[in-house]
Amino acid sequence: MIAELGLAVLWMAAALAVLQLFAGFSALRPSGKALAGVVRPLAVMQGALVAVSFFCLIDLFLETDLSVKLVAENSHSMKPFIFKLAGTWGNHEGSMLLWVTIMAVSGGVVALVEKRLREDTLLATLAGQAFVSLGFYAFLLLSSNPFERLPEPAPEGAGLNPLLQDIGLAFHPPTLYVGYVGLSVAFSFAIGALITRDVGPAFARAMRPWVLGAWIFLTVGITAGSYWAYYTLGWGGWWFWDPVENASLMPWLAATALLHSASVLASRNALRAWTVMLGVIAFSMSMVGTFLVRSGILTSVHAFAVDPERGSFILALLAIYIGGALALFGIRASTVTEGERFSVFSRESSLVFNNVMLCGILGIVLLGTLYPLLTEAFGAKVSVGPPYFNPVSAIFAIPMMMVMTVGPLLRWRKDKPGRITATVAVPALLAALVLLAVAIMAPGIRVLPMLGIAVGIGLAVASWFPLRGRNLRRTPLSVYGMVFGHFGIAVALLGAAAESAFSTERLAAMNVGDTQAVGPISLKLENIEPVAGPNWTALEATVSASYKGGTPVTLHPQARTFTSPPGERTESALHTRWNGQLYAVLGNEGEDGRWQMRFWWKPFVPLLWLGGLLVAFGGLLALIGRVVHDIKRLRAEDKIAYRKSQQEQLK
């Protein structure tokens, strides 16, 4: 009965979305004002019903109900608890239900807490959110029913893809989905503001927490996904410009630009058209990513293997949502006024410049991701990888990061170059000295890693300058968020550049007792023995590693074999030091009895993921600061309104 209950409440939620859409748009007309009072309750009820549906699916997976097709195809009775739980969203149907759940719950939260928008703008926003949700309800209920029963219960489940049987599955997809759905809320805000001609600071203040929250989750999701692939796939790379990796990066780039644009509109009443268009583009990129992952047109370790008909459904939704939004923007473009003007040399201008750079990188990634698909449609197979993405994106990324060192120091509206020349000279001179030192001490390094190290050092120092001269106790959290965010970008850049410049690799055939060296580390293969886990068996190597003759540490790389479903997976072993990371992989046994071993020494590569977490931490500080500020502002406005009402009553 749990499956039937989950499906029934999902249909009920879809019906409420229809009512919410009708009531929301009807209430915008004078004849439909009576319906305005039901829109918020409908949004809240819809969110509650979808949450019940998703918890029903979780229960089916935890109980391993093999009469449900989705459970039988993606779970197994012997799987550990965490993988049964994560298996709920480790497939196409379950992940789409998670997507719809987050979307509906987010709409309910907007209905409950949003008080900054005009009533008509909020109604249009909730109607827009219902419109977006309806497409996904139709997708789930008509082509991807997660509660479908089998004619007869399966004797045992097929299990989960071995590559997905990792703790990363419990965190990586949900964080990305929260990010994608947060952008859908921003999209709905943009649509609502366009419909009611209310593109202004109040709209931006309402949108900003959702954009910031989505951006934080996307940052965490991309960082976690990079590290997950790094230690799971066994090839030692942290980013390969895989199309599905790009599918998560593109919304992040658009959300980064949108976040800065919305902040300018909220505080300075400028960049109105930028904010609306970026709201549409950010959600467009999340839809493009959804299409790439679920259409079946990609071959990727990250993609869901589904039929192209579902991809066509998503492509139709993409055309309807984005085409409709662009058409609405075209109709309302004349009503989106320019906003406050600003000088070429101002903080607003630096943000516009960096938004252009972010959009340039977004265009490059989008082109490089879609081009092979387009050429394949015409019978030609083309591979686009790092040789294209790295140098071409650097054309935009390096100037952007250089402007990041200057932008936070500029004043709003108008500034003079002479005021900050001496301050900016410090990180510029330091970056130049680092560039010269690296070129002299390591002449074989490629240009891009060398520039990355120099720019990263300069940005890391400049990131803290906005705190200079401030009372640190009274400095707003949003300023600290900016500082940590920019510093995190610098740290991640340093980690990526150092790994690319100085990484060393050793591929060796070893007998037990043999020694090798990789970089400054001496290695010895101590033993190979079989081990068993909850639902796998493995060969495990014992490797002792000594850094420059110091105290040895022990690593245990494994080659795992799964039976349900059948498959193999390498389990790399990592040893992290302050200045780098040792990466060890156990391969197959050769005909001569020697074992294939692969080792990397990756200097400062942990900085890459530390930087990502610092960026997310900065976003969290900014979000807390903005929310607290908005709450205080609303309370102050309520007090003023109360006093006015009291004065009027006395009169």
Side-chain angles (χ1 to χ4, degrees):
M1 290 297 295
I2 297 296
E4 287 72 24
L5 173 63
L7 184 59
V9 295
L10 189 60
W11 274 104
M12 292 170 62
L16 290 182
V18 174
L19 293 175
Q20 180 181 327
L21 174 63
F22 173 77
F25 283 130
S26 297
L28 299 177
R29 301 178 179 180
S31 59
K33 290 292 184 181
L35 295 173
V38 304
V39 177
R40 288 180 187 252
L42 285 173
V44 175
M45 291 170 61
Q46 182 196 153
L49 287 174
V50 180
V52 170
S53 180
F54 185 66
F55 281 119
C56 286
L57 187 63
I58 289 177
D59 182 74
L60 293 171
F61 268 85
L62 294 182
E63 296 294 330
T64 316
D65 187 341
L66 297 176
S67 68
V68 176
K69 182 179 179 182
L70 189 66
V71 177
E73 291 179 347
N74 295 278
S75 191
H76 191 279
S77 60
M78 298 301 293
K79 275 202 315 183
F81 171 84
I82 186 63
F83 298 139
K84 287 185 178 181
L85 175 64
T88 308
W89 53 79
N91 54 80
H92 167 71
E93 292 84 355
S95 63
M96 287 308 302
L97 181 56
L98 175 60
W99 175 299
V100 171
T101 301
I102 299 170
M103 184 180 295
V105 171
S106 299
V109 173
V110 171
L112 284 173
V113 305
E114 183 51 56
K115 297 180 180 179
R116 289 160 291 196
L117 285 177
R118 284 183 353 209
E119 184 65 18
D120 60 338
T121 305
L122 178 60
L123 292 174
T125 297
L126 292 175
Q129 187 74 354
F131 179 67
V132 173
S133 299
L134 270 176
F136 288 97
Y137 282 127
F139 185 48
L140 265 175
L141 294 169
L142 301 180
S143 69
S144 305
N145 178 12
F147 298 104
E148 181 181 350
R149 291 278 192 185
L150 292 171
E152 295 289 338
E156 185 53 272
L160 187 65
N161 184 337
L163 287 175
L164 300 180
Q165 294 191 38
D166 186 271
I167 193 64
L169 181 64
F171 302 103
H172 171 56
T175 52
L176 287 181
Y177 295 152
V178 172
Y180 292 157
V181 173
L183 295 181
S184 80
V185 176
F187 174 78
S188 298
F189 275 118
I191 295 303
L194 281 174
I195 290 174
T196 59
R197 299 177 175 87
D198 188 27
V199 180
F203 144 74
R205 283 192 289 269
M207 172 197 281
R208 182 169 55 187
W210 292 96
V211 177
L212 190 49
W215 182 79
I216 292 168
F217 276 99
L218 284 174
T219 303
V220 172
I222 292 172
T223 303
S226 170
Y227 191 66
W228 180 18
Y230 169 75
Y231 72 76
T232 299
L233 298 182
W235 55 278
W238 46 268
W239 194 267
F240 197 65
W241 298 104
D242 179 279
V244 181
E245 291 175 334
N246 296 345
S248 63
L249 177 63
M250 291 187 289
W252 184 88
L253 292 168
T256 305
L258 173 60
L259 176 61
H260 290 85
S261 183
S263 295
V264 174
L265 177 55
S267 57
R268 298 294 163 177
N269 195 19
L271 306 185
R272 293 184 177 186
W274 264 102
T275 303
V276 172
M277 276 305 301
L278 286 171
V280 174
I281 291 172
F283 181 60
S284 302
M285 292 302 101
S286 68
M287 289 293 295
V288 168
T290 303
F291 169 71
L292 290 175
V293 173
R294 301 169 191 280
S295 63
I297 64 175
L298 291 179
T299 301
S300 168
V301 296
H302 309 281
F304 290 101
V306 297
D307 59 88
E309 290 184 5
R310 290 173 174 173
S312 301
F313 201 122
I314 296 174
L315 193 60
L317 292 180
L318 176 64
I320 293 170
Y321 294 151
I322 307 310
L326 293 177
L328 179 61
F329 181 80
I331 295 171
R332 289 284 196 265
S334 60
T335 67
V336 182
T337 56
E338 181 180 359
E340 298 293 333
R341 294 177 177 271
F342 48 85
S343 169
V344 173
F345 198 77
S346 63
R347 187 179 295 189
E348 291 95 331
S349 291
S350 71
L351 290 170
V352 169
F353 177 85
N354 277 1
N355 277 0
V356 172
M357 295 297 102
L358 285 166
C359 290
I361 298 172
L362 173 59
I364 288 164
V365 176
L366 181 63
L367 177 63
T369 303
L370 297 182
Y371 182 73
L373 306 178
L374 296 175
T375 58
E376 188 173 352
F378 291 97
K381 285 196 173 184
V382 177
S383 176
V384 178
Y388 161 77
F389 287 107
N390 289 346
V392 180
S393 60
I395 295 173
F396 295 88
I398 291 176
M400 179 184 71
M401 293 185 187
M402 293 173 68
V403 171
M404 283 172 62
T405 65
V406 180
L409 304 177
L410 296 174
R411 290 172 177 164
W412 296 105
R413 298 279 187 257
K414 186 177 182 180
D415 206 347
K416 295 180 180 180
R419 191 184 65 83
I420 62 168
T421 301
T423 305
V424 173
V426 175
L429 179 61
L430 182 60
L433 291 175
V434 169
L435 184 64
L436 180 62
V438 173
I440 293 173
M441 298 174 64
I445 293 178
R446 299 188 303 275
V447 173
L448 283 183
M450 191 184 304
L451 288 174
I453 293 171
V455 173
I457 292 291
L459 179 58
V461 173
S463 297
W464 299 95
F465 285 177
L467 296 177
R468 193 179 62 167
R470 287 179 175 266
N471 183 331
L472 298 183
R473 290 186 176 182
R474 296 187 176 182
T475 300
L477 276 178
S478 58
V479 175
Y480 281 110
M482 175 189 68
V483 168
F484 274 98
H486 289 184
F487 181 68
I489 293 290
V491 170
L493 177 62
L494 284 171
E499 190 274 340
S500 179
F502 304 116
S503 180
T504 55
E505 179 184 1
R506 175 74 67 186
L507 181 62
M510 302 177 68
N511 287 313
V512 173
D514 286 353
T515 59
Q516 286 288 340
V518 57
I521 296 180
S522 301
L523 303 152
K524 182 178 180 181
L525 179 60
E526 301 284 358
N527 192 21
I528 301 282
E529 61 181 355
V531 295
N535 60 334
W536 50 264
T537 58
L539 290 173
E540 181 179 271
T542 300
V543 179
S544 61
S546 174
Y547 182 83
K548 293 184 176 179
T551 304
V553 295
T554 302
L555 288 82
H556 296 285
Q558 296 177 344
R560 292 185 178 179
T561 300
F562 294 79
T563 56
S564 298
E568 297 181 350
R569 193 187 86 193
T570 59
E571 190 74 10
S572 59
L574 307 175
H575 174 62
T576 303
R577 293 177 47 85
W578 69 270
N579 61 341
Q581 192 171 67
L582 173 63
Y583 188 116
V585 175
L586 171 64
N588 297 322
E589 184 180 14
E591 295 181 358
D592 58 358
R594 295 189 298 175
W595 294 91
Q596 299 296 319
M597 301 294 299
R598 199 171 186 179
F599 304 101
W600 286 269
W601 168 245
K602 295 177 172 292
F604 298 103
V605 72
L607 293 180
L608 176 67
W609 301 292
L610 174 61
L613 295 178
L614 285 172
V615 172
F617 177 68
L620 180 61
L621 289 179
L623 179 61
I624 294 172
R626 296 295 184 191
V627 170
V628 170
H629 178 269
D630 287 346
I631 290 174
K632 290 180 178 179
R633 181 173 181 166
L634 287 172
R635 286 179 177 175
E637 291 175 354
D638 289 343
K639 286 181 180 179
I640 293 172
Y642 176 76
R643 288 172 184 171
K644 286 183 178 179
S645 66
Q646 290 294 312
Q647 290 173 357
E648 290 176 359
Q649 289 177 5
L650 290 174
K651 292 179 181 179

